[in-house]
Amino acid sequence: MNKQIVKAIPVFEGASSLNTLNDNNPLNTINVNFYWRSGVKGKGITVAILDSGCDTQHSNLSSRIVDGANFTEEDGGHFKKIDDYNGHGTHVAGVVSSNNSNGQITGVAPEAKLMIVKVLDKNGTGSIENLINGIYFTINWRGSGNERVRVICLSLGTDEDNEQLYEAIKFANSQGVVVVAASGNQGTGNIKDVNLGYPGAYNEVIQVGAIDENLKITDFSNLNNQMDILAPGENINSTHLTNSYKRMSGTSMAAPFVVGALSLIIQDIEMKLNRTISETEIYGQLIKNTKKLGYPFNVEGNGLIYLNKGL
């Protein structure tokens, strides 16, 4: 059994005041209205959140969850018990597709469906073995209408490369599943420093770094030559435990912005083409929806996610 550990540790957690989403709204930062104004909000797209589970009773999330699985030992290892005792997974899920049922939080793709795969425990840690098993489960999952997961969100990571994890990622790509991962929070604030976290650093993964409210790369964000894209990751307001809300910071918060954006892109393009598009096509369309921030390519990748290009 592989004892390697994966972790999801936010840089900051803080209380969330009510009705403050319009202050430096990260949805505006990534220009979601480019798709929203034409009614594209992720309908028909299922994404998987591999994390600490989810508050399945949260008023903003309960209607979005289509299925789930538990790969941890919590709740006696009950396979269908996906309750979140940490809060990280619930926060990430809300960034993707909170449905704004009470006027508080709207996710990037509020009509996308969520498949919750619990691979982290209440401490935000889990085994690499459970993560790998969760990835294969996600790839092979089929819904009641034979739908499948299109995008995997991995707001977690490890400092060590792992061959079995890499094989799972490559298999996901071969099956048309896009994998998005946080770059990690071991940055130094110096853009010349290289910090690698896995699976984000694999070439087959869309690795996401974090920017702040001023569109500057955060000091905590890992940077390396495998960076693909940047997204908001500081002071992000989203869903939390017991039907609450919390502000959190980290590349863990940045990754789900890209996952939500991909949901919009996939829905829009497949409606227009009337066919399923490949993982390579999805990545190509994502990169069209970016803008440079003035950093070197090996620091910012293709730039900030900014939705402004249709098919």
Side-chain angles (χ1 to χ4, degrees), residues 96-297:
V96 176
S97 66
S98 173
N99 66 6
N100 195 30
S101 65
N102 56 6
Q104 293 302 315
I105 299 295
T106 304
V108 179
E111 294 180 2
K113 291 292 188 178
L114 298 173
M115 217 265 283
I116 304 298
V117 182
K118 184 173 177 174
V119 296
L120 304 177
D121 62 18
K122 63 183 179 181
N123 299 312
T125 61
S127 72
I128 198 78
E129 179 183 34
N130 287 347
L131 173 59
I132 292 167
N133 290 337
I135 292 172
Y136 281 114
F137 172 82
T138 300
I139 297 166
N140 294 320
W141 177 86
R142 296 295 181 271
S144 58
N146 204 38
E147 66 270 24
R148 59 185 303 188
V149 168
R150 305 302 303 279
V151 187
I152 291 175
C153 182
L154 301 176
S155 286
L156 46 74
T158 177
D159 294 337
E160 301 176 45
D161 188 4
N162 183 281
E163 183 178 352
Q164 289 75 31
L165 177 60
Y166 187 37
E167 290 301 318
I169 296 295
K170 289 189 290 185
F171 182 66
N173 279 189
S174 75
Q175 299 302 301
V177 180
V178 182
V179 181
V180 178
S183 68
N185 302 329
Q186 290 78 46
T188 64
N190 186 344
I191 65 171
K192 294 182 180 181
D193 289 342
V194 175
N195 299 95
L196 293 175
Y198 300 91
Y202 294 133
N203 188 55
E204 291 79 2
V205 171
I206 297 173
Q207 182 182 202
V208 186
I211 61 162
D212 63 20
E213 296 168 351
N214 298 312
L215 306 188
K216 302 297 184 183
I217 295 176
T218 65
D219 287 348
F220 57 74
S221 182
N222 279 13
L223 301 174
N224 56 74
N225 60 8
Q226 290 296 327
M227 186 66 63
D228 289 284
I229 201 165
L230 301 172
E234 186 172 83
N235 203 28
I236 303 301
N237 195 19
S238 186
T239 48
H240 207 256
L241 301 182
T242 62
N243 209 39
S244 68
Y245 305 89
K246 180 173 279 193
R247 291 187 180 274
M248 296 172 71
S249 298
T251 56
S252 283
M253 286 63 251
F257 276 100
V258 175
V259 172
L262 284 167
S263 301
L264 304 181
I265 291 169
I266 295 169
Q267 180 194 354
D268 182 64
I269 293 175
E270 293 189 344
M271 284 194 308
K272 292 174 178 175
L273 296 181
N274 194 30
R275 67 172 175 85
T276 301
I277 58 176
S278 68
E279 184 271 340
T280 302
E281 288 176 301
I282 293 168
Y283 182 75
Q285 292 298 322
L286 174 68
I287 299 314
K288 288 182 180 179
N289 285 277
T290 61
K291 67 177 181 180
K292 292 292 186 180
L293 296 180
Y295 294 95
F297 177 78

Side-chain angles (χ1 to χ4, degrees), residues 10-46:
V11 174
F12 164 82
E13 294 187 44
S16 175
S17 55
L18 299 180
N19 297 317
T20 55
L21 189 58
N22 288 327
D23 297 341
N24 297 309
N25 189 338
L27 296 178
N28 293 335
T29 300
I30 70 170
N31 198 33
V32 293
N33 277 329
F34 178 78
Y35 284 110
W36 282 13
R37 62 176 175 247
S38 60
V40 175
K41 296 186 176 182
K43 186 176 182 179
I45 307 301
T46 302

